[in-house]
Amino acid sequence: VSLSGASVGDLLLLVADRAPSATFGEEELALLQAFAGQAGVAIENQRLHENLQHANALLKEYDRLKSEFVAMVAHDFRKPLTAIRGFAELVLESPELSPDTRREFMGTIIRETDALASLAEDTLLISRIETGELGFEFAEVELGPVLLECMPLGLAEHSILLDMPPEPMRIVADAYRLRQVASNLIGNAVKYSPRGGTITVRGRFRGADHVSLEVQDQGLGIPKEELRRLFQKFQRVRTPGHLAIPGTGLGLYICRLIVQGHGGRVWVESEPGQGSTFGVLLPRDARKARASAST
């Protein structure tokens, strides 16, 4: 009898006859069958044990991420709520405020309220996409005007360059959801470039069936070991510079879900201190791409 195994689930049992005059009998065959059965049970139990350990590790990691996310969301809710309450009390209790000051305070309240609404919308949107409750409204759109609508105004330290081909980039997509993706990528490029610089938003045709959108910045950049964690739920880049900037780790995850809903994909290229380029590859006709994927 010879036993060998490279790993759990990989076991080889060799049984060779003895001399021709001393072949195995029924009793020995039954013993070997019983041994093989017990070995199989032991191997399966070990496999199940390893699967359980892996599942437990995943659950612990998910629980850690969930707790971290709850803490971030609580902080992101508390900060604007505190500002809203503080400025509202000032407006209410200080009738002598000048019209300009009152307008400034009310503007702050409106901005902080919009931030709260955006955070709530992101959280609900993830739930709707993951449960399949979010539908896409595909129609022919021109990518250039969609991107123009996403350009932030009043930037003091940043300049934004829109680089598009001379011919219109017409695609079939959900314009509202594309604006969410582009606004998030451009907003991140501004946010994670605290020293300012040029942000390039580039559109290109990719063969006969696809187009690409790239957002390139000159910001903090991302360490190589952190790249694999991007576009995942609750994940943020864990460098001191990135963590000092408020964020929930939901934006890029939402971008990935929306792009995948169009039949496309996302990617990122980055070097620490050298900026980042976030890219989106989209089919020219998302409706056809989704139909082909489902058949």
Side-chain angles (χ1 to χ4, degrees):
V1 178
S2 175
L3 290 174
S4 64
S7 62
V8 174
D10 177 17
L11 176 66
L12 178 64
L13 172 63
L14 296 177
V15 181
D17 285 345
R18 292 170 291 183
S21 58
T23 57
F24 291 116
E26 292 294 330
E27 182 177 341
E28 292 166 314
L29 180 59
L31 179 62
L32 288 172
Q33 288 176 330
F35 175 77
Q38 291 296 322
V41 170
I43 292 172
E44 179 64 12
N45 286 341
Q46 180 63 24
R47 184 185 68 81
L48 293 174
H49 178 69
E50 290 186 354
N51 288 345
L52 182 60
Q53 285 184 317
H54 180 65
N56 284 337
L58 289 177
L59 286 174
K60 288 180 180 178
E61 176 65 9
Y62 181 77
D63 187 62
R64 182 189 68 79
L65 292 173
K66 182 186 68 174
S67 298
E68 188 173 290
F69 169 72
V70 169
M72 286 190 297
V73 169
H75 175 269
D76 285 354
F77 267 101
R78 185 181 300 112
K79 182 181 177 183
L81 283 173
T82 301
I84 291 170
R85 181 178 178 85
F87 282 102
E89 287 179 346
L90 286 173
V91 172
L92 182 64
E93 298 173 0
S94 305
E96 71 281 0
L97 289 176
S98 68
D100 288 343
T101 301
R102 186 179 300 273
R103 189 178 301 110
E104 178 185 350
F105 287 177
M106 295 305 297
T108 300
I109 291 174
I110 291 172
R111 286 194 301 272
E112 296 295 347
T113 302
D114 288 344
L116 282 176
S118 177
L119 179 57
E121 172 64 22
D122 285 349
T123 307
L124 292 174
L125 180 60
I126 286 177
S127 176
R128 292 175 62 196
I129 296 177
E130 291 181 337
T131 57
E133 297 177 3
L134 180 70
F136 291 93
E137 297 182 4
F138 296 130
E140 184 175 290
V141 298
E142 189 174 337
L143 192 56
V146 169
L147 296 177
L148 281 174
E149 293 175 6
C150 302
M151 299 298 171
L153 302 176
L155 298 177
E157 305 295 333
H158 303 78
S159 59
I160 299 184
L161 171 65
L162 181 59
D163 179 10
M164 303 292 288
E167 62 270 34
M169 298 185 69
R170 294 190 178 93
I171 62 175
V172 175
D174 187 322
Y176 177 76
R177 298 303 173 191
L178 281 189
R179 279 193 290 270
Q180 282 186 286
V181 172
S183 295
N184 187 282
L185 295 181
I186 296 171
N188 278 353
V190 172
K191 184 164 63 172
Y192 292 104
S193 303
R195 296 185 301 272
T198 300
I199 295 167
T200 303
V201 181
R202 183 180 300 110
R204 291 291 184 270
F205 292 103
R206 301 298 180 186
D209 299 322
H210 292 83
V211 299
S212 68
L213 165 66
E214 297 180 356
V215 178
Q216 183 179 15
D217 65 57
Q218 299 174 320
L220 298 176
I222 304 168
K224 183 177 180 180
E225 63 273 14
E226 295 279 344
L227 292 177
R228 63 181 180 82
R229 296 169 1 99
L230 293 179
F231 302 107
Q232 302 298 318
K233 184 161 54 175
F234 309 147
Q235 296 286 1
R236 296 193 63 203
V237 178
R238 299 178 181 278
T239 69
H242 287 82
L243 292 177
I245 299 171
T248 60
L250 293 180
L252 291 179
Y253 179 62
I254 290 174
C255 287
R256 178 171 71 85
L257 294 181
I258 291 175
V259 172
Q260 288 178 342
H262 281 70
R265 65 180 180 88
V266 295
W267 77 90
V268 59
E269 299 173 355
S270 186
E271 291 289 339
Q274 303 299 315
S276 304
T277 299
F278 284 83
V280 173
L281 184 70
L282 293 169
R284 291 205 191 185
D285 192 329
R287 189 185 293 115
K288 288 183 179 179
R290 282 172 60 96
S292 298
S294 62
T295 58

